[in-house]
Amino acid sequence: MSVVTREQVLEQLRQVTGPDFDGDIVSQGLVSDIFIAGSKVFFSITVPADRAQALEPMRAMAEKLVKAIPGVVGAVVTLTAEKKGGLTSDDAPPARMPSRAAQRPKQAPAAHAAAPQAKAGVPGVKSIIAVSSGKGGVGKSTTSVNLALGLKALGLKVGILDADIYGPSMPRLMGIKERPEMTKGELIKPMEKYGIKVMSMGFLVDEEAPMIWRGPMVVSALTQLLREVDWAPLDVLVVDMPPGTGDIQLTMAQRVPLAGAVIVSTPQDLALIDARKGLNMFRKVEIPILGIVENMSYFIAPDTGKRYDIFGHGGAKEDAERHNVPFLGEVPLDMDVRANSDAGTPITAVAPDSEHAKIYKDIAKKVMENMRSGTDGSGRAAPKITFE
Ligand code: ADP
């Protein structure tokens, strides 16, 4: 079997003209590090964010040329925006999403919804659950990590797939800087930390450069991360979904054989429309809602211990009940949660006996119970997933 080299990839990419027609993308330094996983190649090309849509043919050309190298069976080529100070995954993605591309898969959902049993499971993974939010910045990724650690504390074998590919956060949240290796069987070996297997686009391309995705690419990249990673054996794979409830999220919810979904929301959104959109999205594709986590729910003053309901706390539980959805718990706004999350030392891993870790473990327990009982609180049975 021929081994694909970085040089071969660069050689091909020298044929691709850069955005301003003054040289090729390699000599202009627009190509990221190239990650080669056996016969698959991952890299990104840096472009001005506002020209991402116009430069799609350039991306497609790069992908085509790399796929033409003998021995290459797949290539994931993404466009990334030039790094700008202060740009975060929270404020950037929606503006950069090419709106027409995002709307194109509109027809697909209905077709797939009609045949949910067509979703193939991931070999060796018993259940897959999605963690989702109506918008970015509500603590979805932090919740994914701590929920995964809570599930592990219950004795389960757990993995996290960072499907939040607009702003992959697992390298940071889990404190992982290394890159994955290949297994002998040509699969990507997931990274491992705190006893959990982790995979993220951030391990394959530069995590700090915001990625610009077009709808169909998201689904194809996610499919590769799901199926071409050596997850087995896992009891639960927690998928940290991209924020929002648009067509891309909907398509993903349909393609991934989900046992259920956890919705993360701040008190404000729950009262507002965002979280409800999330509920409706999963209901539309008949995925059981395992429950709602209310994040940044209240604040305890570190000096006095006094509780402040700064975001008008109190309605979430009732709201969840009104929408016929289990309420999983409330996580306070806490500087330790933030500091640990941002330092790559998630609180449930490093302070397992803390108040916060207890909250997350409690949430994990309810998630597991709701998964086992096979209903989503609405009395509807969860769809059975068969595994090879
Ligand atoms: P999302 O995945 O929804 O974009 P993140 O998990 O990345 O959100 O969280 C956004 C920011 O909020 C991060 O800096 C994180 O550390 C912080 N954060 C999340 N949950 C809490 C919490 N309960 N208390 C304090 N900070 C939090």
Side-chain angles (χ1 to χ4, degrees), residues 124-286:
V125 177
K126 286 191 192 146
S127 308
I128 305 177
I129 57 178
V131 178
S132 174
S133 66
K135 62 175 188 191
V138 302
K140 172 181 52 58
S141 301
T142 302
T143 307
S144 301
V145 165
N146 285 289
L147 168 64
L149 287 161
L151 290 164
K152 187 194 161 267
L154 292 170
L156 301 179
K157 291 195 187 72
V158 184
I160 301 179
L161 169 58
D162 186 358
D164 187 349
I165 41 192
Y166 306 106
S169 46
M170 286 309 145
R172 177 174 49 93
L173 295 186
M174 293 292 276
I176 299 172
K177 293 196 174 64
E178 299 77 22
R179 289 195 159 204
E181 294 168 0
M182 295 298 292
T183 65
K184 288 204 182 75
E186 283 266 304
L187 292 172
I188 302 172
K189 216 163 153 179
M191 306 305 290
E192 211 155 336
K193 191 96 183 248
Y194 307 118
I196 287 183
K197 291 181 180 168
V198 193
M199 192 59 208
S200 167
M201 264 318 271
F203 300 144
L204 305 178
V205 300
D206 185 357
E207 180 211 358
E208 280 171 25
M211 279 177 246
I212 306 167
W213 294 92
R214 300 170 66 82
M217 278 169 56
V218 174
V219 177
S220 121
L222 181 82
T223 309
Q224 299 208 31
L225 294 185
L226 197 62
R227 305 203 184 282
E228 293 175 17
V229 170
D230 188 23
W231 293 111
L234 284 188
D235 294 310
V236 185
L237 178 63
V238 175
V239 180
D240 181 11
M241 294 278 279
T245 52
D247 289 328
I248 290 174
Q249 287 79 358
L250 184 59
T251 308
M252 280 168 61
Q254 294 173 314
R255 295 285 176 87
V256 181
L258 295 173
V262 170
I263 311 254
V264 181
S265 173
T266 58
Q268 309 96 299
D269 320 315
L270 204 57
L272 296 168
I273 202 81
D274 286 332
R276 264 180 260 162
K277 275 196 207 149
L279 295 178
N280 288 339
M281 178 179 85
F282 287 109
R283 282 190 167 145
K284 207 159 154 187
V285 290
E286 297 190 5

Side-chain angles (χ1 to χ4, degrees), residues 20-43:
D20 296 315
F21 302 102
D22 53 358
D24 67 90
I25 56 173
V26 177
S27 54
Q28 288 186 318
L30 302 178
V31 178
S32 70
D33 271 355
I34 295 167
F35 180 76
I36 300 173
S39 51
K40 305 200 184 71
V41 181
F42 298 80
F43 63 93

Side-chain angles (χ1 to χ4, degrees), residues 89-90 133 135-144 164 167 169 172-173 240-241 243 264 294-298 331-342 356 360:
S89 61
D90 305 340
S133 66
K135 62 175 188 191
V138 302
K140 172 181 52 58
S141 301
T142 302
T143 307
S144 301
D164 187 349
S169 46
R172 177 174 49 93
L173 295 186
D240 181 11
M241 294 278 279
V264 181
E294 189 186 73
N295 190 36
M296 310 192 201
S297 186
Y298 54 93
V331 181
L333 176 76
D334 186 276
M335 287 312 125
D336 286 346
V337 172
R338 176 183 286 269
N340 279 293
S341 182
D342 296 347
H356 297 104
Y360 283 119

